[in-house]
Amino acid sequence: MSGETSLSAKWTRPDDFIKLQRLKQKKKQLAARVSSNNNNNKLIELDENDKCKLLEAKIAQKRKNPFAKSIDGAKKQKIDDPTTATTGSASLTLPQDCFVRETPTRPQPAKLVLQKFDAQAFAKLLHQQHAAQADEEDDAALAARQKHTTHLPMDWCLKTRIRFFCPSELPATQLKTSQLASGLTSFVRCFDTNHSDSTLDISDATRFNQCTYYWQHPHLPWLTLFPRSAKENNGITIGDRERKALAEEWDYSFRGLFQLLRARQCPYFYLCANSFTVLFRAAGCGGRAEMHALVTPSTRGMRNALRQEGIEYTMPLKKDVNGGSSSLNGSLTEEPSNEAKPKTEADTTGAGKEQDEEDDDDEWLESLGVDERELRRIQTTHARKLQAAEMSEDFSDNSLLLIEGVECQGLFSYLLNAKSTITSVGRLAGVPPTLLSSVAFPKATMQHLVPRSKKVRLDGVDYHSIDIKGLLLPTFLPSVAALLCETRQMFSATLASSLNTLSFSKATQKLLESAPEEAQVAGEQVFGEQNLSECGLLPSVVGSICRTGEHAVGLLERVCYQRGEGYAWS
């Protein structure tokens, strides 16, 4: 019996085995709880620095952003910068002066810390003072250059861009059907919609649209005919058949336009060739009593060709040998021998005396033993010096030519027949010069300027703006200014000029200043606004182109208007 009892004690019953398994599971769960509690206690005991390290380690595991700003570099730069003083959590940037005052966090006396001497600190301060003084002087000089007038001066140079600014809304550029049709009809028929009894639309948008048209010949859409030196014209060739057709069309168009000018049905027009530009103006324009033309720039070859054709001219902007301005009474020429003057008997006698003196000089040199070869070299050197002096002002504003009266007919014939008028090589070879006018003429194509309006913010103030790029004739700005003066309290305009045509305004201004009394008679009494009343322009514009006296003409780059005060321009 004892043997069976010991054998049964070695074996475990199923119920006891299940109890043991459950007990083991409970022990494992209890051990896991105890270990997790110990870990949490350790994490709680970590200080703030350890948390930062863990956070940085976790951030370092992420993908680095290539566009993120380096925090460590910025901190290091702030610490290394001697001009940045940090107190607690606040930083203060101080100037590099000799002494720097620290800002304490607690109420205690301020300390003066001596910094390293910087020899450039005083120079920088002085430079800032001089820069401020220079800005003030520039503002004062700009204010001194600005001129105030009750009228808008006339600028005869061609413009390439203009931008209007106004605090109130400008005329709309997105036109309705009636506005587009009325503006087009008013321009073609030369209507003054503001003072006519027609049923056309008379809104500001219609009147502004009327000012954006002009006439041009020839018009080839794939070529840029103003300015003719545009890069888009490179590499374009025209066949002989096309050249002949363009020349015939241009000949008829130029003839018709010149006849309109002589009849005072066209106040002015431009002829733009590759190497020169001509401004034809009717009698009464610019204070001149006769029809006249301005040619710029000119060359020695062109002046010689005009003299050979018997065309007389003067050079208003040419300076004499002493550095002053030359006379404008018809005796002005490019050479001391007065070649452009009509040769009188006295001139012929004088020329004969000069020739005799030259012959005497040659005989005197021969008597001294100077051989013929050396004498020829001296004469050649003297001729070269005279030629260089004559060509010194070629292609400049001072080379402008003024041709008046019946001589304009000779210039017209010269331009029709001269080979240099239509170039045969280079850019626009075979393309006739561009004719530009504010009124219609034979074979002309009507062109349109595209205005773009937007709203801009300058110095915290909202402005309405209209920007126009393209060819702007001299009568465009007076037309738009007359419209805005009636409907707006104030506005301003900035303009960009064609550099090749600046001398037109310079010469007109100088001619008016040189003979004010003659210009007054020609402008107001004889050939004034009444003679050009049928030229197709608005009466206010006709008054601008015929105005004489002080500030009648000027180079305009910026114009400001305010009702009650007039115009300020520079």
Side-chain angles (χ1 to χ4, degrees):
M1 291 294 294
S2 59
E4 292 178 358
T5 303
S6 60
L7 182 62
S8 60
K10 293 181 180 178
W11 292 95
T12 304
R13 294 178 179 273
D15 296 337
D16 297 336
F17 180 76
I18 292 174
K19 290 180 180 180
L20 291 174
Q21 291 294 331
R22 290 178 177 175
L23 183 61
K24 288 180 179 180
Q25 290 179 359
K26 290 181 180 181
K27 288 181 178 181
K28 290 180 179 180
Q29 292 176 358
L30 181 61
R33 287 181 182 178
V34 172
S35 62
S36 64
N37 290 334
N38 293 333
N39 291 334
N40 290 335
N41 293 333
K42 291 180 179 180
L43 290 175
I44 292 173
E45 294 175 359
L46 291 176
D47 56 357
E48 296 295 328
N49 294 330
D50 294 333
K51 285 185 179 180
C52 293
K53 292 180 180 178
L54 290 175
L55 182 60
E56 291 176 356
K58 191 172 183 180
I59 293 175
Q61 293 177 359
K62 294 183 179 180
R63 182 178 64 86
K64 185 177 180 180
N65 186 2
F67 302 99
K69 188 176 180 180
S70 177
I71 300 176
D72 296 336
K75 290 182 178 179
K76 184 177 180 181
Q77 187 176 6
K78 287 182 180 180
I79 295 173
D80 296 338
D81 190 0
T83 64
T84 304
T86 305
T87 307
S89 60
S91 61
L92 178 64
T93 303
L94 302 174
Q96 294 182 353
D97 293 333
C98 294
F99 295 94
V100 179
R101 184 181 298 275
E102 293 184 349
T103 304
T105 56
R106 297 178 182 178
Q108 60 182 5
K111 297 180 181 180
L112 293 175
V113 181
L114 183 63
Q115 299 289 345
K116 184 178 179 181
F117 175 73
D118 185 6
Q120 297 181 354
F122 295 101
K124 292 178 181 178
L125 291 175
L126 292 174
H127 179 70
Q128 292 177 359
Q129 295 178 358
H130 289 310
Q133 293 177 358
D135 293 339
E136 293 178 357
E137 292 176 358
D138 293 341
D139 295 340
L142 180 60
R145 287 197 304 268
Q146 286 186 348
K147 300 177 181 179
H148 299 267
T149 55
T150 56
H151 62 271
L152 181 65
M154 191 68 184
D155 191 353
W156 287 101
C157 65
L158 295 173
K159 305 295 181 181
T160 57
R161 184 175 182 179
I162 189 171
R163 178 176 293 177
F164 294 97
F165 291 96
C166 185
S168 57
E169 189 173 358
L170 289 168
T173 56
Q174 300 296 329
L175 303 177
K176 301 178 182 179
T177 303
S178 60
Q179 294 174 341
L180 179 60
S182 298
L184 183 60
T185 303
S186 301
F187 172 75
V188 175
R189 300 181 183 178
C190 301
F191 281 167
D192 185 4
T193 56
N194 198 29
H195 299 88
S196 63
D197 298 332
S198 63
T199 59
L200 298 176
D201 191 308
I202 58 173
S203 62
D204 294 347
T206 300
R207 296 173 60 187
F208 186 84
N209 180 43
Q210 182 181 355
C211 302
T212 57
Y213 295 98
Y214 64 94
W215 299 93
Q216 172 183 329
H217 179 83
H219 172 61
L220 304 176
W222 62 93
L223 294 177
T224 303
L225 297 182
F226 184 85
R228 295 175 67 92
S229 59
K231 296 181 180 180
E232 294 80 3
N233 298 330
N234 289 335
I236 298 177
T237 58
I238 299 178
D240 294 337
R241 183 178 178 183
E242 289 81 4
R243 292 188 182 190
K244 184 178 180 181
L246 288 174
E248 292 177 355
E249 293 285 314
W250 184 82
D251 183 276
Y252 183 80
S253 180
F254 186 31
R255 289 178 185 273
L257 185 55
F258 186 74
Q259 297 303 326
L260 288 174
L261 185 80
R262 293 182 60 186
R264 303 190 190 98
Q265 302 299 313
C266 173
Y268 69 92
F269 70 89
Y270 288 83
L271 185 149
C272 303
N274 283 16
S275 57
F276 62 90
T277 304
V278 185
L279 169 60
F280 286 90
R281 292 191 298 204
C285 291
R288 309 306 294 176
E290 297 179 306
M291 177 180 61
H292 56 282
L294 300 173
V295 185
T296 183
S298 67
T299 60
R300 178 174 177 269
M302 175 185 287
R303 295 190 290 270
N304 289 335
L306 293 177
R307 284 196 297 268
Q308 291 176 3
E309 295 292 332
I311 301 173
E312 300 176 9
Y313 60 85
T314 57
M315 301 178 69
L317 300 180
K318 183 179 175 61
K319 297 181 179 179
D320 57 13
V321 180
N322 297 327
S325 299
S326 299
S327 60
L328 301 172
N329 56 3
S331 63
L332 170 63
T333 58
E334 58 191 302
E335 294 182 350
S337 59
N338 295 334
E339 297 182 26
K341 289 176 56 179
K343 292 185 178 181
T344 60
E345 184 177 355
D347 295 335
T348 306
T349 305
K353 291 182 180 180
E354 291 178 0
Q355 185 67 29
D356 293 338
E357 291 178 358
E358 291 180 0
D359 294 340
D360 294 340
D361 293 339
D362 295 340
E363 294 177 359
W364 179 71
L365 291 174
E366 290 178 0
S367 63
L368 293 178
V370 180
D371 58 356
E372 184 178 357
R373 182 180 301 177
E374 185 67 18
L375 182 62
R376 190 178 304 168
R377 187 185 66 80
I378 294 174
Q379 293 176 350
T380 303
T381 304
H382 181 66
R384 287 179 180 177
K385 290 181 179 180
L386 293 178
Q387 182 178 351
E390 184 182 351
M391 298 173 59
S392 60
E393 294 183 346
D394 286 359
F395 298 104
S396 66
D397 291 347
N398 295 337
S399 64
L400 178 137
L401 306 179
L402 171 62
I403 302 173
E404 293 186 281
V406 295
E407 303 298 331
C408 286
Q409 183 67 42
L411 176 64
F412 167 74
S413 302
Y414 169 79
L415 294 174
L416 277 179
N417 302 318
K419 295 182 179 179
S420 59
T421 303
I422 303 178
T423 59
S424 58
V425 294
R427 293 179 180 176
L428 299 178
V431 179
T434 307
L435 300 175
L436 303 170
S437 175
S438 57
V439 298
F441 60 94
K443 304 289 184 179
T445 305
M446 186 172 63
Q447 300 296 321
H448 178 235
L449 299 169
V450 181
R452 292 179 174 84
S453 60
K454 58 183 178 180
K455 197 173 183 180
V456 298
R457 189 175 184 85
L458 298 175
D459 298 332
V461 181
D462 292 333
Y463 290 90
H464 298 268
S465 171
I466 292 182
D467 191 6
I468 300 178
K469 292 182 180 179
L471 173 63
L472 301 172
L473 293 177
T475 50
F476 173 80
L477 181 58
S479 303
V480 178
L483 167 62
L484 296 180
C485 288
E486 296 177 4
T487 57
R488 304 296 186 274
Q489 290 289 337
M490 59 182 300
F491 69 90
S492 64
T494 56
L495 306 97
S497 304
S498 175
L499 299 180
N500 296 330
T501 60
L502 291 176
S503 56
F504 290 146
S505 293
K506 296 179 181 178
T508 305
Q509 187 175 11
K510 189 171 183 179
L511 290 169
L512 288 174
E513 294 174 353
S514 62
E517 296 180 358
E518 179 185 354
Q520 189 78 9
V521 173
E524 295 184 1
Q525 299 181 8
V526 184
F527 299 105
E529 303 176 15
Q530 187 64 30
N531 291 334
L532 293 174
S533 59
E534 301 295 333
C535 67
L537 299 180
L538 300 177
S540 60
V541 179
V542 175
S544 297
I545 64 178
C546 295
R547 182 178 289 112
T548 58
E550 188 177 7
H551 301 314
V553 179
L555 290 172
L556 302 179
E557 296 181 356
R558 179 175 175 82
V559 177
C560 299
Y561 171 80
Q562 187 168 0
R563 184 173 296 178
E565 297 184 3
Y567 292 92
W569 51 276
S570 62

